[in-house]
Amino acid sequence: MIRIGLGRDLHRLVTGRRFLLGGAEIPFAKGEEGHSDGDVLAHAVTDAILGAGGLGDIGEFFPPSDSAWKDADSIELLQIAWKKVTDCGWNLVNLDCVVTCELPKILPYRQSIRDSLAKAMGVKSELIFVKGKTAEGLDAVGRGEAAEAMAVCLLEKP
Ligand code: MG
């Protein structure tokens, strides 16, 4: 059996915050605002795997109204979610992601982002791909006010 899942997230970019993508810190003047550490890619991936597993979504498991998740490490949230998925017998076929932000360029950090996500999930980095895009100067992402991430994941169960 195979199942597909999709995740998407967007966070404002503000000064005084770290810019985290899949647990990798990207050197930049701004970072993601959020109740947790704001890691937009980790959140999209978490929603994709939970959706593929038919288990729920990130807001259900880690509600922003719960102070337990204030400044939470999003990689830890991903690991908790991934354990729920693998406990149901699912294996990762692959995970494909797109990060959209006007700056900085993602390409130089692609491998470290892939490695960070792979380490968090206990899978080979070859199963995870990450692409960087811009919004061509359009909308809030294009004005550099936000970063967006999308992730699609395929799971298989023998
Ligand atoms: Mg989020």
Side-chain angles (χ1 to χ4, degrees):
M1 181 166 41
I2 58 169
R3 292 280 290 270
I4 195 167
L6 172 69
R8 184 254 182 195
D9 199 18
L10 180 145
H11 279 248
R12 286 177 191 271
L13 290 175
V14 295
T15 55
R17 296 277 295 186
R18 297 193 299 158
F19 192 19
L20 295 165
L21 289 176
E25 186 162 351
I26 312 298
F28 191 50
K30 295 196 254 184
E32 299 117 317
E33 193 172 54
H35 181 71
S36 65
D37 62 16
D39 188 330
V40 70
L41 179 56
H43 294 178
V45 169
T46 302
D47 261 346
I49 61 166
L50 287 172
L55 293 172
D57 64 56
I58 190 170
E60 254 180 286
F61 283 106
F62 313 108
S65 55
D66 186 340
S67 60
W69 311 118
K70 175 102 176 75
D71 300 322
D73 177 347
S74 297
I75 286 298
E76 283 179 21
L77 307 188
L78 170 61
Q79 287 175 318
I80 293 167
W82 182 234
K83 179 162 191 323
K84 290 181 192 294
V85 173
T86 55
D87 281 351
C88 293
W90 294 107
N91 299 317
L92 182 70
V93 177
N94 74 310
L95 177 67
D96 193 22
C97 310
V98 179
V99 175
T100 309
C101 59
E102 216 56 22
L103 284 171
K105 292 291 176 202
I106 301 304
L107 186 58
Y109 307 104
R110 167 191 281 169
Q111 193 58 44
S112 57
I113 297 167
R114 294 174 71 195
D115 291 343
S116 174
L117 286 170
K119 186 179 169 206
M121 296 173 69
V123 301
K124 292 180 179 167
S125 62
E126 289 79 8
L127 303 186
I128 299 175
F129 204 74
V130 177
K131 295 173 286 291
K133 306 288 286 181
T134 74
E136 297 281 340
L138 300 167
D139 71 32
V141 174
R143 289 190 299 271
E145 295 168 9
E148 182 186 40
M150 285 195 282
V152 63
C153 133
L154 193 67
L155 301 178
E156 67 174 350
K157 195 188 282 198

